[in-house]
Coordinates of all heavy atoms in Angstrom, one line a residue:
M1 N 0.9 -1.2 0.0 CA 0.0 0.0 0.0 C 0.8 1.2 0.0 O 1.9 1.3 0.6 CB -0.9 0.0 1.3 CG -1.8 1.1 1.2 SD -3.0 1.1 2.6 CE -2.2 2.1 3.7
E2 N 0.5 2.2 -0.7 CA 1.2 3.5 -0.8 C 0.2 4.7 -0.8 O -0.9 4.6 -1.4 CB 1.9 3.4 -2.1 CG 2.6 4.7 -2.5 CD 3.2 4.6 -4.0 OE1 2.9 3.6 -4.7 OE2 3.8 5.5 -4.5
R3 N 0.5 5.6 0.0 CA -0.3 6.8 0.1 C 0.4 7.9 -0.8 O 1.6 8.2 -0.5 CB -0.5 7.3 1.5 CG -1.6 6.6 2.2 CD -1.9 7.3 3.6 NE -2.9 8.4 3.5 CZ -4.1 8.3 3.5 NH1 -4.7 7.1 3.4 NH2 -5.0 9.3 3.5
T4 N -0.3 8.4 -1.7 CA 0.3 9.5 -2.5 C -0.7 10.7 -2.3 O -1.7 10.6 -1.6 CB 0.3 9.2 -4.1 OG1 -1.1 9.0 -4.5 CG2 1.0 7.9 -4.3
L5 N -0.3 11.7 -2.9 CA -1.1 13.0 -2.7 C -2.5 12.8 -3.3 O -2.7 12.7 -4.5 CB -0.4 14.2 -3.4 CG -1.0 15.6 -3.2 CD1 -1.0 15.9 -1.6 CD2 -0.3 16.6 -3.9
G6 N -3.5 12.6 -2.4 CA -4.9 12.4 -2.8 C -5.3 11.0 -3.2 O -6.4 10.8 -3.7
A7 N -4.5 10.1 -3.0 CA -4.9 8.7 -3.4 C -4.2 7.7 -2.5 O -3.1 7.8 -2.0 CB -4.6 8.5 -4.9
V8 N -4.8 6.5 -2.5 CA -4.3 5.3 -1.8 C -4.0 4.3 -3.0 O -5.0 4.1 -3.7 CB -5.1 4.7 -0.8 CG1 -4.7 3.3 -0.3 CG2 -5.3 5.7 0.4
V9 N -2.8 3.8 -3.2 CA -2.5 2.9 -4.3 C -2.2 1.5 -3.6 O -1.2 1.4 -2.7 CB -1.3 3.3 -5.1 CG1 -1.0 2.3 -6.2 CG2 -1.5 4.7 -5.7
L10 N -3.0 0.5 -4.0 CA -2.8 -0.8 -3.5 C -2.0 -1.7 -4.6 O -2.6 -1.7 -5.7 CB -4.2 -1.5 -3.1 CG -5.1 -0.7 -2.2 CD1 -6.4 -1.4 -2.1 CD2 -4.4 -0.8 -0.8
H11 N -0.9 -2.2 -4.2 CA -0.2 -3.0 -5.2 C -0.4 -4.5 -5.1 O -0.4 -5.0 -3.9 CB 1.3 -2.7 -5.0 CG 1.8 -1.2 -5.2 ND1 2.1 -0.8 -6.4 CD2 1.9 -0.2 -4.4 CE1 2.3 0.5 -6.4 NE2 2.2 0.9 -5.2
A12 N -0.7 -5.1 -6.1 CA -1.0 -6.5 -6.1 C -0.3 -7.3 -7.3 O -0.1 -6.7 -8.3 CB -2.5 -6.8 -6.2
W13 N -0.1 -8.6 -7.1 CA 0.5 -9.4 -8.3 C 0.0 -10.9 -8.0 O -0.4 -11.2 -6.9 CB 2.0 -9.3 -8.3 CG 2.6 -9.5 -7.0 CD1 3.1 -10.7 -6.5 CD2 2.9 -8.6 -6.0 NE1 3.6 -10.6 -5.3 CE2 3.5 -9.3 -4.8 CE3 2.6 -7.3 -5.8 CZ2 3.9 -8.6 -3.7 CZ3 3.1 -6.6 -4.7 CH2 3.6 -7.3 -3.6
G14 N 0.1 -11.6 -9.2 CA -0.3 -13.0 -9.1 C 0.7 -13.8 -8.3 O 1.8 -13.5 -8.2
R15 N 0.2 -15.0 -7.7 CA 1.1 -15.8 -6.9 C 1.4 -17.1 -7.6 O 2.3 -17.8 -7.1 CB 0.4 -16.1 -5.5 CG 0.2 -14.8 -4.7 CD -0.3 -15.1 -3.4 NE -1.3 -16.3 -3.3 CZ -1.8 -16.8 -2.3 NH1 -1.4 -16.3 -1.1 NH2 -2.6 -17.8 -2.2
S16 N 0.6 -17.4 -8.6 CA 1.0 -18.7 -9.3 C 2.2 -18.7 -10.0 O 2.8 -17.7 -10.4 CB -0.2 -19.0 -10.3 OG -0.2 -18.2 -11.3
T17 N 2.9 -19.8 -10.2 CA 4.2 -20.0 -10.8 C 4.0 -20.1 -12.3 O 5.0 -19.9 -13.1 CB 5.0 -21.2 -10.3 OG1 4.2 -22.4 -10.5 CG2 5.3 -21.0 -8.9
E18 N 2.8 -20.4 -12.9 CA 2.6 -20.6 -14.2 C 1.1 -20.2 -14.6 O 0.4 -20.0 -13.8 CB 2.9 -22.0 -14.7 CG 2.0 -23.1 -14.1 CD 2.4 -24.5 -14.4 OE1 3.5 -24.6 -14.8 OE2 1.6 -25.3 -14.3
G19 N 0.9 -20.0 -15.9 CA -0.4 -19.7 -16.5 C -0.7 -20.6 -17.6 O 0.1 -21.3 -18.1
A20 N -2.0 -20.7 -17.9 CA -2.5 -21.6 -18.9 C -2.9 -20.8 -20.1 O -3.7 -19.8 -20.1 CB -3.7 -22.4 -18.4
C21 N -2.4 -21.2 -21.3 CA -2.7 -20.5 -22.6 C -4.2 -20.6 -22.8 O -4.8 -21.7 -22.7 CB -2.0 -21.2 -23.7 SG -2.4 -20.4 -25.3
P22 N -4.9 -19.4 -23.0 CA -6.3 -19.4 -23.3 C -6.7 -20.1 -24.6 O -7.8 -20.6 -24.8 CB -6.7 -18.0 -23.3 CG -5.5 -17.3 -23.6 CD -4.3 -18.1 -23.0
R23 N -5.9 -20.3 -25.5 CA -6.1 -20.9 -26.8 C -6.0 -22.4 -26.8 O -6.9 -23.1 -27.3 CB -5.2 -20.3 -27.9 CG -5.6 -18.9 -28.2 CD -5.0 -18.6 -29.6 NE -5.5 -17.2 -29.9 CZ -5.7 -16.8 -31.1 NH1 -5.6 -17.6 -32.1 NH2 -6.1 -15.6 -31.3
C24 N -4.9 -22.9 -26.2 CA -4.6 -24.3 -26.3 C -4.6 -25.0 -24.9 O -4.6 -26.2 -24.9 CB -3.3 -24.7 -27.0 SG -1.8 -24.1 -26.0
G25 N -4.6 -24.2 -23.8 CA -4.7 -24.8 -22.5 C -3.3 -25.3 -22.0 O -3.3 -25.7 -20.8
E26 N -2.2 -25.1 -22.8 CA -0.9 -25.5 -22.4 C -0.4 -24.7 -21.2 O -0.5 -23.5 -21.2 CB 0.1 -25.4 -23.6 CG 1.5 -25.7 -23.3 CD 1.8 -27.2 -23.6 OE1 0.9 -27.9 -24.2 OE2 2.8 -27.7 -23.1
A27 N 0.1 -25.3 -20.1 CA 0.7 -24.6 -19.0 C 2.1 -24.0 -19.4 O 2.8 -24.8 -20.1 CB 0.7 -25.6 -17.8
S28 N 2.4 -22.9 -18.9 CA 3.8 -22.3 -19.2 C 4.2 -21.5 -17.9 O 3.4 -20.7 -17.3 CB 3.7 -21.3 -20.4 OG 4.9 -20.7 -20.6
G29 N 5.5 -21.7 -17.6 CA 6.0 -20.9 -16.5 C 7.1 -20.0 -17.1 O 7.7 -19.3 -16.3
R30 N 7.2 -19.9 -18.4 CA 8.2 -19.0 -19.0 C 7.6 -17.5 -19.1 O 6.8 -17.3 -20.0 CB 8.6 -19.5 -20.3 CG 9.7 -18.8 -21.0 CD 10.3 -19.5 -22.1 NE 11.2 -18.7 -22.9 CZ 11.6 -18.9 -24.0 NH1 11.2 -20.0 -24.7 NH2 12.5 -18.1 -24.7
V31 N 8.1 -16.7 -18.3 CA 7.7 -15.3 -18.3 C 8.2 -14.5 -19.5 O 9.5 -14.5 -19.7 CB 8.0 -14.6 -17.0 CG1 7.5 -13.2 -17.0 CG2 7.3 -15.3 -15.8
H32 N 7.5 -13.9 -20.2 CA 8.0 -13.1 -21.4 C 8.1 -11.6 -21.0 O 8.9 -10.9 -21.5 CB 6.9 -13.3 -22.5 CG 7.2 -12.4 -23.8 ND1 8.3 -12.7 -24.6 CD2 6.7 -11.3 -24.3 CE1 8.3 -11.8 -25.6 NE2 7.4 -11.0 -25.4
G33 N 7.3 -11.1 -20.0 CA 7.4 -9.8 -19.6 C 6.3 -9.5 -18.6 O 5.5 -10.4 -18.2
R34 N 6.2 -8.2 -18.2 CA 5.3 -7.8 -17.1 C 4.7 -6.4 -17.5 O 5.4 -5.6 -18.1 CB 5.9 -7.7 -15.8 CG 6.3 -9.0 -15.2 CD 7.0 -8.8 -13.8 NE 7.3 -10.0 -13.2 CZ 8.3 -10.9 -13.5 NH1 9.2 -10.6 -14.4 NH2 8.4 -12.0 -12.7
Y35 N 3.6 -6.1 -17.0 CA 3.0 -4.8 -17.2 C 2.1 -4.6 -16.0 O 1.6 -5.5 -15.3 CB 2.3 -4.6 -18.5 CG 1.1 -5.4 -18.8 CD1 -0.2 -4.9 -18.6 CD2 1.2 -6.6 -19.3 CE1 -1.3 -5.6 -18.8 CE2 0.1 -7.4 -19.5 CZ -1.2 -6.9 -19.3 OH -2.2 -7.7 -19.6
V36 N 1.7 -3.3 -15.8 CA 0.8 -3.0 -14.7 C -0.5 -2.5 -15.2 O -0.6 -1.6 -16.1 CB 1.4 -1.9 -13.9 CG1 0.5 -1.4 -12.6 CG2 2.7 -2.4 -13.2
R37 N -1.7 -3.1 -14.6 CA -3.0 -2.6 -14.9 C -3.4 -1.7 -13.8 O -3.2 -2.1 -12.6 CB -4.0 -3.8 -15.0 CG -3.7 -4.6 -16.3 CD -4.8 -5.8 -16.3 NE -4.6 -6.6 -17.4 CZ -5.1 -7.8 -17.5 NH1 -5.8 -8.4 -16.5 NH2 -4.8 -8.5 -18.6
R38 N -3.9 -0.6 -14.0 CA -4.4 0.3 -12.9 C -5.9 0.4 -13.0 O -6.5 0.8 -14.0 CB -3.7 1.7 -13.1 CG -2.3 1.7 -12.7 CD -1.7 3.1 -12.7 NE -0.4 3.2 -12.2 CZ 0.7 2.5 -12.5 NH1 0.6 1.8 -13.6 NH2 1.9 2.6 -11.9
L39 N -6.5 0.0 -11.9 CA -7.9 0.0 -11.8 C -8.4 1.0 -10.7 O -8.0 0.9 -9.5 CB -8.5 -1.5 -11.3 CG -7.9 -2.6 -12.2 CD1 -8.2 -3.9 -11.6 CD2 -8.6 -2.6 -13.6
A40 N -9.1 1.9 -11.1 CA -9.6 2.9 -10.2 C -11.0 2.6 -9.6 O -11.8 2.0 -10.4 CB -9.6 4.3 -10.7
D41 N -11.2 2.9 -8.4 CA -12.5 2.6 -7.8 C -13.0 3.8 -7.1 O -12.3 4.8 -7.0 CB -12.4 1.4 -6.8 CG -13.7 0.6 -6.6 OD1 -14.7 1.2 -7.1 OD2 -13.7 -0.4 -6.0
C42 N -14.2 3.7 -6.5 CA -14.7 4.8 -5.8 C -13.9 5.2 -4.5 O -13.1 4.4 -4.1 CB -16.2 4.5 -5.4 SG -16.3 3.0 -4.2
A43 N -14.1 6.3 -4.1 CA -13.3 6.9 -3.0 C -13.6 6.1 -1.7 O -14.7 5.8 -1.5 CB -13.5 8.3 -2.9
L44 N -12.7 5.8 -0.9 CA -12.8 5.3 0.4 C -12.5 6.3 1.4 O -11.4 6.8 1.5 CB -11.9 4.1 0.6 CG -12.1 2.9 -0.2 CD1 -11.0 1.9 0.0 CD2 -13.4 2.2 0.1
G45 N -13.5 6.8 2.2 CA -13.3 7.8 3.1 C -12.9 9.2 2.5 O -12.1 9.9 3.1
G46 N -13.3 9.4 1.3 CA -13.0 10.6 0.6 C -11.7 10.6 -0.1 O -11.3 11.6 -0.7
T47 N -11.0 9.4 -0.1 CA -9.7 9.4 -0.8 C -9.8 8.5 -1.9 O -10.3 7.3 -1.9 CB -8.7 8.7 0.3 OG1 -8.6 9.6 1.4 CG2 -7.3 8.7 -0.4
R48 N -9.3 8.9 -3.0 CA -9.3 8.0 -4.3 C -8.5 6.8 -4.1 O -7.4 6.8 -3.5 CB -8.6 8.9 -5.4 CG -9.0 8.3 -6.8 CD -8.3 9.2 -7.9 NE -6.9 8.9 -7.8 CZ -6.1 8.9 -8.8 NH1 -6.5 9.2 -10.0 NH2 -4.8 8.6 -8.7
T49 N -9.0 5.6 -4.6 CA -8.4 4.4 -4.4 C -7.9 3.8 -5.8 O -8.8 3.8 -6.7 CB -9.3 3.4 -3.7 OG1 -9.8 4.0 -2.6 CG2 -8.6 2.1 -3.4
V50 N -6.8 3.3 -5.9 CA -6.3 2.7 -7.1 C -5.7 1.3 -6.8 O -4.9 1.2 -5.9 CB -5.2 3.6 -7.9 CG1 -4.7 3.0 -9.1 CG2 -5.8 5.0 -8.2
L51 N -6.0 0.3 -7.7 CA -5.4 -1.0 -7.6 C -4.4 -1.1 -8.7 O -4.8 -1.0 -9.9 CB -6.4 -2.1 -7.6 CG -5.9 -3.6 -7.7 CD1 -5.2 -3.9 -6.4 CD2 -7.0 -4.5 -7.9
A52 N -3.1 -1.2 -8.3 CA -2.0 -1.4 -9.4 C -1.7 -2.9 -9.4 O -1.0 -3.5 -8.5 CB -0.9 -0.6 -9.0
L53 N -2.2 -3.6 -10.4 CA -2.1 -5.0 -10.5 C -1.0 -5.4 -11.6 O -1.1 -5.0 -12.8 CB -3.4 -5.7 -11.0 CG -3.4 -7.1 -11.3 CD1 -3.1 -7.8 -10.0 CD2 -4.7 -7.6 -11.9
T54 N 0.1 -5.9 -11.1 CA 1.2 -6.3 -12.0 C 0.8 -7.7 -12.6 O 0.6 -8.7 -12.0 CB 2.5 -6.5 -11.3 OG1 2.8 -5.2 -10.7 CG2 3.7 -7.0 -12.2
V55 N 0.8 -7.7 -13.9 CA 0.3 -8.9 -14.6 C 1.5 -9.3 -15.5 O 2.2 -8.6 -16.1 CB -0.9 -8.6 -15.7 CG1 -1.2 -9.7 -16.5 CG2 -2.0 -8.0 -14.9
R56 N 1.8 -10.7 -15.5 CA 2.8 -11.2 -16.3 C 2.3 -11.7 -17.7 O 1.1 -12.1 -17.8 CB 3.4 -12.5 -15.6 CG 4.1 -12.0 -14.3 CD 4.5 -13.3 -13.6 NE 3.3 -13.9 -13.0 CZ 3.3 -15.0 -12.2 NH1 4.4 -15.6 -11.9 NH2 2.2 -15.5 -11.8
R57 N 3.2 -11.7 -18.7 CA 2.9 -12.3 -20.0 C 3.8 -13.5 -20.0 O 5.0 -13.5 -19.7 CB 3.3 -11.3 -21.1 CG 2.3 -10.1 -21.1 CD 2.4 -9.4 -22.5 NE 1.8 -10.2 -23.6 CZ 0.6 -10.5 -23.8 NH1 -0.4 -10.1 -23.1 NH2 0.3 -11.3 -24.8
F58 N 3.1 -14.7 -20.4 CA 3.9 -15.9 -20.5 C 4.0 -16.2 -22.0 O 3.1 -15.9 -22.8 CB 3.0 -17.0 -19.8 CG 3.0 -16.9 -18.4 CD1 1.9 -16.4 -17.8 CD2 4.0 -17.3 -17.6 CE1 1.8 -16.4 -16.3 CE2 4.0 -17.4 -16.2 CZ 3.0 -16.8 -15.6
K59 N 5.1 -17.0 -22.3 CA 5.2 -17.5 -23.7 C 4.6 -18.9 -23.8 O 4.8 -19.8 -23.0 CB 6.8 -17.6 -24.0 CG 7.0 -18.2 -25.4 CD 8.4 -17.9 -25.8 CE 8.8 -18.5 -27.1 NZ 7.9 -18.2 -28.1
C60 N 3.7 -19.1 -24.8 CA 3.1 -20.4 -25.0 C 4.2 -21.3 -25.5 O 4.8 -21.0 -26.5 CB 1.9 -20.3 -25.9 SG 1.0 -21.9 -26.1
L61 N 4.3 -22.5 -24.9 CA 5.3 -23.4 -25.3 C 4.8 -24.4 -26.4 O 5.7 -25.2 -26.8 CB 5.8 -24.2 -24.0 CG 6.4 -23.2 -22.9 CD1 6.7 -24.1 -21.7 CD2 7.5 -22.4 -23.4
N62 N 3.6 -24.4 -26.7 CA 3.1 -25.3 -27.7 C 3.3 -24.7 -29.1 O 2.7 -23.7 -29.4 CB 1.5 -25.4 -27.4 CG 0.9 -26.4 -28.5 OD1 1.4 -26.9 -29.3 ND2 -0.4 -26.6 -28.2
R63 N 4.2 -25.3 -29.9 CA 4.5 -24.8 -31.2 C 3.4 -24.7 -32.2 O 3.4 -23.9 -33.1 CB 5.8 -25.5 -31.6 CG 7.0 -25.2 -31.0 CD 8.2 -25.9 -31.6 NE 9.4 -25.6 -30.8 CZ 10.5 -25.4 -31.4 NH1 10.7 -25.6 -32.6 NH2 11.6 -25.1 -30.7
A64 N 2.4 -25.6 -32.0 CA 1.2 -25.6 -32.9 C 0.2 -24.6 -32.6 O -0.7 -24.4 -33.3 CB 0.6 -27.0 -32.7
C65 N 0.4 -23.9 -31.4 CA -0.6 -22.9 -30.9 C -0.4 -21.6 -31.7 O 0.8 -21.2 -31.9 CB -0.5 -22.7 -29.5 SG -1.8 -21.5 -28.8
E66 N -1.4 -20.9 -32.0 CA -1.4 -19.5 -32.7 C -1.0 -18.5 -31.7 O -0.4 -17.4 -32.1 CB -2.6 -19.2 -33.4 CG -3.0 -20.1 -34.6 CD -4.3 -19.7 -35.2 OE1 -4.8 -18.6 -34.9 OE2 -4.7 -20.4 -36.1
A67 N -1.1 -18.6 -30.4 CA -0.8 -17.6 -29.5 C 0.7 -17.7 -29.2 O 1.1 -18.8 -28.8 CB -1.7 -17.9 -28.2
V68 N 1.4 -16.7 -29.3 CA 2.8 -16.6 -29.0 C 3.0 -16.4 -27.6 O 3.8 -16.9 -26.9 CB 3.6 -15.6 -29.9 CG1 5.0 -15.5 -29.5 CG2 3.4 -15.9 -31.3
T69 N 2.3 -15.3 -27.0 CA 2.3 -14.9 -25.7 C 0.9 -14.8 -25.2 O 0.0 -14.5 -26.0 CB 3.1 -13.6 -25.4 OG1 2.5 -12.5 -26.0 CG2 4.5 -13.7 -25.8
F70 N 0.7 -14.8 -23.9 CA -0.7 -14.6 -23.3 C -0.4 -13.9 -22.0 O 0.5 -14.2 -21.3 CB -1.4 -15.8 -23.3 CG -0.8 -16.9 -22.4 CD1 -1.1 -17.0 -21.1 CD2 0.1 -17.8 -23.0 CE1 -0.5 -18.1 -20.3 CE2 0.6 -18.8 -22.3 CZ 0.3 -19.0 -21.0
A71 N -1.5 -13.2 -21.5 CA -1.4 -12.6 -20.2 C -2.0 -13.5 -19.2 O -3.0 -14.2 -19.4 CB -2.1 -11.2 -20.2
E72 N -1.5 -13.5 -17.9 CA -2.1 -14.2 -16.8 C -3.4 -13.7 -16.4 O -3.6 -12.6 -16.6 CB -1.1 -14.4 -15.7 CG -1.1 -13.1 -14.8 CD -0.2 -13.3 -13.7 OE1 -0.2 -14.3 -12.9 OE2 0.7 -12.4 -13.4
Q73 N -4.3 -14.7 -16.1 CA -5.6 -14.2 -15.7 C -5.7 -14.3 -14.2 O -5.4 -15.3 -13.5 CB -6.6 -15.2 -16.2 CG -6.7 -15.2 -17.7 CD -7.0 -13.8 -18.3 OE1 -8.0 -13.3 -18.0 NE2 -6.1 -13.3 -19.2
C74 N -5.9 -13.2 -13.5 CA -6.0 -13.1 -12.0 C -7.4 -13.3 -11.6 O -8.3 -12.4 -12.0 CB -5.4 -11.7 -11.6 SG -3.7 -11.6 -12.0
R75 N -7.6 -14.3 -10.8 CA -9.0 -14.6 -10.4 C -8.9 -14.9 -8.9 O -7.9 -15.2 -8.3 CB -9.5 -15.8 -11.1 CG -9.7 -15.7 -12.5 CD -10.4 -16.9 -13.1 NE -10.6 -16.7 -14.6 CZ -9.8 -17.2 -15.5 NH1 -8.8 -18.0 -15.2 NH2 -10.0 -16.9 -16.8
D76 N -10.0 -14.9 -8.3 CA -10.2 -15.1 -6.8 C -9.6 -14.1 -6.0 O -8.9 -13.6 -5.5 CB -9.5 -16.5 -6.4 CG -10.2 -17.7 -7.0 OD1 -11.4 -17.5 -7.4 OD2 -9.5 -18.6 -7.2

């Protein structure tokens, strides 16, 4: 958690060691890169709230699959 001027930023990231390709279902633990998704929500106690979710991109290891990379899906 980080308090900035006028906002509270909550930092989160996935805990799984691998992701499943949405096209072929192949599991992959080979990380291709990362990026941050920022989700803003209603104010809590008058302070703006932002969820900064770090999402990994995995490389699909199935050579027959059309997807080269895919983003992990954060659920639960």
Side-chain angles (χ1 to χ4, degrees):
M1 185 176 91
E2 170 187 5
R3 274 188 92 78
T4 63
L5 189 60
V8 171
V9 182
L10 304 171
H11 297 276
W13 51 91
R15 298 184 325 171
S16 65
T17 57
E18 58 185 26
C21 177
R23 288 195 178 219
C24 69
E26 179 91 13
S28 176
R30 186 167 170 200
V31 177
H32 179 70
R34 291 175 174 79
Y35 65 96
V36 177
R37 291 181 183 163
R38 285 183 170 66
L39 310 165
D41 202 351
C42 59
L44 294 173
T47 304
R48 194 178 77 144
T49 306
V50 177
L51 174 62
L53 178 62
T54 300
V55 177
R56 294 171 293 182
R57 293 199 62 77
F58 291 100
K59 179 162 178 48
C60 183
L61 303 176
N62 181 355
R63 291 184 177 214
C65 183
E66 293 180 9
V68 177
T69 63
F70 59 92
E72 75 180 312
Q73 299 300 305
C74 297
R75 296 182 179 106
D76 298 333

